[in-house]
Amino acid sequence: MAPFIGSLTVPGDKSISHRALIFSAFSTGKSRVLNCSPAHDVESSAECLRKLGLKITRDEIGVFEIENDGIDSLVAPTDILDAGNSGTTIRLMSGLVAGRPFVSKFDGDESLRRRTMKRVFEPLRELGAQVSAREDTFAPFAITGGNLIGKSFELKVASAQVEACVLLAGLQADGETSVTAPHTVRDHTRRMFEYIGIPFNQNSKTLSVKRLAKPVDAYELTVPSDISSAAFFMVAAACSPGSDLTLTTVGMNPGRTLIVDILRSMGASVEIENARVLCGEPVADIHIQYNGRLKGVAVPPDSIASGIDEIPILAIAGALCDGEFHVSGAAELRHKESDRITSLCDNLKAAGVKVEEQPDGFTVQGQKTIRGGSPWLTHLDHRLAMTGLIASQVFDAQLDIDDPSCMSVSYPTFADDLAQLVGSKT
Ligand code: S3P
C-alpha cells in the first residue's frame, strides 16, 4: 500500500461550476468563470444554456466566458436539453426554464432516466408551470413555463438541487417564493446570489426571492477545488501508512465538510490550513497525515446531507478500519447516479467484505484485506468508479472495475492524478 505524499490541487467544484454558468442567465454582459470544473456534467449545463441562446465558450485552461442579455433574452430551445448524467443540470435547468414562456424538453442518459424528478415537478407545478413526464416522474419530460406565482415550500428532502430549482423559478414569479430545507444543505446558491448581486432574504433555514427587477451585471468568479473530489485522496491518505498529503484551495462550504469530521472522528490527522474566502466561498488547504489504523464510527444521521456524495468513499475507510462503520439516515443515497446503498454493498460483498444493507444505510465490518480481481460494478456512477480505484489502492488488491470511463462525469483526470501521486512518491 503506497503512501500518498505531496500536494495536489483537484479540479474546480462541480456544484459551484453548474451554478456559476446557470445563474448567468440572469446577467447582462460577458461573465467569466475561472477554474471551472472539467466535469462532463458541467459541459451538459453549458450545452443546455447554449440551446437557450447564451453564448458560452471555454478556453484550453478551463475559463468559461458567457455572454447574455438578461433572462428575457433566452429563446425557446429547438432541440432537447440533454442533461447527460447530471442531476444538478436537469433540476436547476428545470427551475430556470419554468419561468420562461415556452416549451423546453429534457432528457438524460440511462442513469438519469432512472432518477425521480417528482421532487422538482411538484413545486414547479405549484408555481404554475406545466410539466408532462414519463410516468409523471422520470425524464424525458417537457416543461411549459411562464406566468408563475410565488409560494412557500417546505422541502421533504434536504436537497440543495431542489432548493436551487425553486429559487430560480421564484426569481421569475410574481410575489415571493420561499423555500425551507429540513437540514443544512450546501449553501452555494445563497452564497453565489450574494456574490453576483441577486437579491434574496434569509430567515434561519428559509431563503426567499422575488422576481428579479433587472439583470445583474456580468461577473468574474473563481471556483474553489471540489471537496467531493478531494475526499477520495483524503481517505486514501488517511488509510495508507506514511502518507502526508496537502490538498490545496479546497472548498469548505459548511454544507460539505462531513468528510473532515468523520475522518477526524475515525482518528485521522486532518489539519485545516490557510482558511480564507474565495468569491464568497470558504476555502482552505487540507493537510492529512496517516495516524494509524482508523477506528469504526457511526455517522450521525442528521449530518448526512453535508456529506451525501462522500458516503461511497467513506465506506472504504470503514471497510479498512478497526471495528464497525455504520451509516443510517441516508436513504437519499438510493436516488443518486445509482442506488448507492445497494451498489456499494454488492461490490463490497463481492470483494469479500462483511457488509449488511439496511433501507437507509449499511454496516460494514473493517478488515485488513479484500479479494483482488473481484468485480466492481459502476452502474454509470462516477463516484463508484473512483471509490473502486481507491479501494484497489488502499487494500493493495486490484478490483475489476467494469466501466472506469464514467469517472469523466465529474473528474476526467482522476486516474492520472492518482497514478502520478502514488507513482512519483514511492
Ligand atoms: C448538489 C446537491 C446534492 C449532491 C449533488 C450536487 C448540488 O444533491 O448530491 O451531487 O449541486 O446542489 P441533492 O440536492 O439531491 O441532495
Side-chain angles (χ1 to χ4, degrees):
M1 169 187 318
F4 284 72
I5 298 174
S7 165
L8 177 69
T9 306
V10 300
D13 187 276
K14 192 155 72 77
S15 285
I16 298 175
S17 299
H18 281 296
R19 286 167 174 77
L21 298 185
I22 294 172
F23 295 1
S24 72
F26 293 96
S27 73
T28 179
K30 200 185 266 184
S31 295
R32 276 161 53 84
V33 184
L34 288 77
N35 196 38
C36 209
S37 163
H40 283 190
D41 272 3
V42 172
E43 192 46 51
S44 296
S45 285
E47 202 44 38
C48 290
L49 290 165
R50 286 185 189 110
K51 288 181 181 163
L52 291 164
L54 277 75
K55 293 196 186 69
I56 304 183
T57 56
R58 180 190 186 136
D59 72 11
E60 63 290 346
I61 58 161
V63 177
F64 273 92
E65 276 193 355
I66 312 135
E67 221 179 319
N68 187 33
D69 191 16
I71 191 74
D72 292 328
S73 67
L74 267 59
V75 296
T78 52
D79 197 3
I80 304 255
L81 301 177
D82 182 0
N85 189 259
S86 174
T88 308
T89 302
I90 206 162
R91 294 188 176 125
L92 271 60
M93 291 299 306
S94 293
L96 182 75
V97 299
R100 296 294 84 214
F102 49 65
V103 182
S104 303
K105 292 182 180 158
F106 286 92
D107 205 354
D109 72 1
E110 202 188 304
S111 148
L112 195 59
R113 280 180 167 205
R114 289 193 293 257
R115 299 174 69 181
T116 178
M117 295 298 144
K118 261 214 147 89
R119 54 185 61 189
V120 295
F121 295 164
E122 283 168 1
L124 292 180
R125 279 182 175 140
E126 287 193 46
L127 287 167
Q130 289 168 43
V131 183
S132 63
R134 183 171 59 90
E135 294 171 35
D136 207 32
T137 307
F138 302 107
F141 61 87
I143 296 182
T144 308
N147 297 319
L148 305 186
I149 298 177
K151 267 194 88 165
S152 295
F153 298 94
E154 299 253 354
L155 301 186
K156 290 186 219 101
V157 283
S159 167
Q161 291 178 353
V162 180
E163 180 194 75
C165 166
V166 169
L167 293 171
L168 291 173
L171 286 170
Q172 305 169 71
D174 284 346
E176 189 172 70
T177 302
S178 67
V179 54
T180 310
H183 294 294
T184 306
V185 293
R186 57 190 74 197
D187 64 353
H188 302 307
T189 297
R190 179 189 69 77
R191 286 172 188 273
M192 201 174 292
F193 278 6
E194 191 162 335
Y195 181 75
I196 69 179
I198 292 182
F200 64 92
N201 275 315
Q202 183 174 22
N203 186 356
S204 182
K205 288 199 195 110
T206 303
L207 288 177
S208 321
V209 292
K210 291 188 174 147
R211 182 188 292 282
L212 190 67
K214 61 175 180 54
V216 296
D217 291 337
Y219 47 87
E220 179 161 313
L221 188 149
T222 303
V223 179
S225 293
D226 196 326
I227 190 165
S228 298
S229 300
F232 293 98
F233 298 103
M234 291 169 69
V235 168
C239 291
S240 307
S243 294
D244 186 337
L245 179 68
T246 301
L247 294 145
T248 61
T249 327
V250 181
M252 298 294 290
N253 186 287
R256 304 277 297 273
T257 48
L258 183 72
I259 180 78
V260 173
D261 300 339
I262 297 302
L263 286 178
R264 278 182 174 155
S265 67
M266 295 177 86
S269 160
V270 187
E271 296 300 326
I272 304 303
E273 297 168 354
N274 300 319
R276 56 206 187 272
V277 174
L278 179 64
C279 300
E281 286 280 347
V283 298
D285 303 332
I286 301 178
H287 182 193
I288 181 149
Q289 288 169 296
Y290 181 75
N291 192 30
R293 271 177 77 83
L294 298 179
K295 58 177 196 295
V297 294
V299 180
D302 60 358
S303 66
I304 290 288
S306 62
I308 189 75
D309 293 340
E310 288 65 72
I311 301 298
I313 189 57
L314 276 172
I316 301 307
L320 193 55
C321 75
D322 275 338
E324 188 174 279
F325 182 81
H326 179 61
V327 170
S328 61
E332 264 300 294
L333 286 174
R334 297 199 181 275
H335 304 290
K336 295 295 175 187
E337 286 81 335
S338 69
D339 174 341
R340 284 185 178 155
I341 296 181
T342 296
S343 38
L344 260 176
C345 290
D346 288 353
N347 281 332
L348 287 170
K349 274 182 205 156
V353 177
K354 287 199 192 81
V355 57
E356 190 200 308
E357 178 172 344
Q358 288 117 25
D360 66 340
F362 55 88
T363 307
V364 55
Q365 305 296 330
Q367 52 202 78
K368 295 203 165 95
T369 54
I370 56 170
R371 231 177 352 245
S374 311
W376 185 273
L377 307 182
T378 57
H379 305 282
L380 281 179
D381 185 336
H382 55 120
R383 296 204 200 280
L384 280 187
M386 292 186 280
T387 298
L389 238 71
I390 294 293
S392 296
Q393 197 59 237
V394 297
F395 277 107
D396 222 352
Q398 206 61 43
L399 293 167
D400 185 10
I401 301 170
D402 65 334
D403 176 22
S405 70
C406 64
M407 293 186 294
S408 58
V409 154
S410 69
Y411 193 165
T413 55
F414 180 77
D416 293 343
D417 286 358
L418 175 62
Q420 206 179 16
L421 204 55
V422 177
S424 65
K425 302 295 175 186
T426 51

